[in-house]
Amino acid sequence: MSFRETYARLSDSERRLVCKERQLSHWKENSRYCPSCGTPTEQGEIPILRRCPACAHEIYPVITSAVLVLVRRGKEILLVQTHAHAAAGRMGPVAGFLEIGETLEECAMREVYEETGIRIQNLQYYANQPWPFPSNLMVGFTADYLSGELRIDTGELLHAAFYPPEALSALSLPLPGSLAYQMLLLYIPV
Ligand SMILES: [Zn+2]
């Protein structure tokens, strides 16, 4: 079983612990050398600090922010399939990484437009979640369709469509435990 599949089967409290450990390990593996002068770094006074003995450069963990945007159009919701998720056939909300100098809201609007050609309105924060693939903070938003025809960025996506809630149970969805899955659960009829 892959780490992703294992992660999906953990309880919430186990997942938080494993996520923290994984993000810390990722940071340590990628902080062995000073990015400024190349000297091997040393552990600092606190667990999340490594320091360069040559130039005193300090390295703290970097968390990459990414948004998830669930776009509603009437009763339907917009789901996309990325190339990265093609093997598992999984469909999910639009997702993308925060760029330099950008707010999370700007990121959400940009990602939806770039990937699908759709303009959105009523953007609302939903929830956020630490995510260890490899070291992200996922920030979930909901939004309403404003305008535009679906025109996918084929470099990023294989497929995108608006689905009615009753179609969701027949689709391959994001892994349980993920924020993307929690957001879709709101729309799956019980
Ligand atoms: Zn250095």
Side-chain angles (χ1 to χ4, degrees), residues 16 65-70 72 103-106 108-109 120-130 137-144 179 182-183 186-187:
R16 291 304 298 273
S65 302
V67 299
L68 293 168
V69 195
L70 196 59
R72 300 169 293 233
T103 67
L104 290 164
E105 289 82 358
E106 287 166 348
M109 291 186 277
I120 55 176
Q121 61 184 348
N122 304 330
L123 186 67
Q124 282 204 312
Y125 170 73
Y126 175 71
N128 70 94
Q129 178 187 52
L137 181 72
M138 307 303 294
V139 186
F141 290 90
T142 59
D144 290 317
L179 179 58
Q182 286 173 33
M183 291 173 76
L186 298 173
Y187 295 90

Side-chain angles (χ1 to χ4, degrees), residues 19-29 47-48 61 135:
C19 179
K20 193 167 178 178
E21 196 289 322
R22 186 82 171 194
Q23 293 194 335
L24 199 58
S25 304
H26 173 77
W27 169 70
K28 282 185 176 169
E29 284 164 17
I48 56 163
S135 194

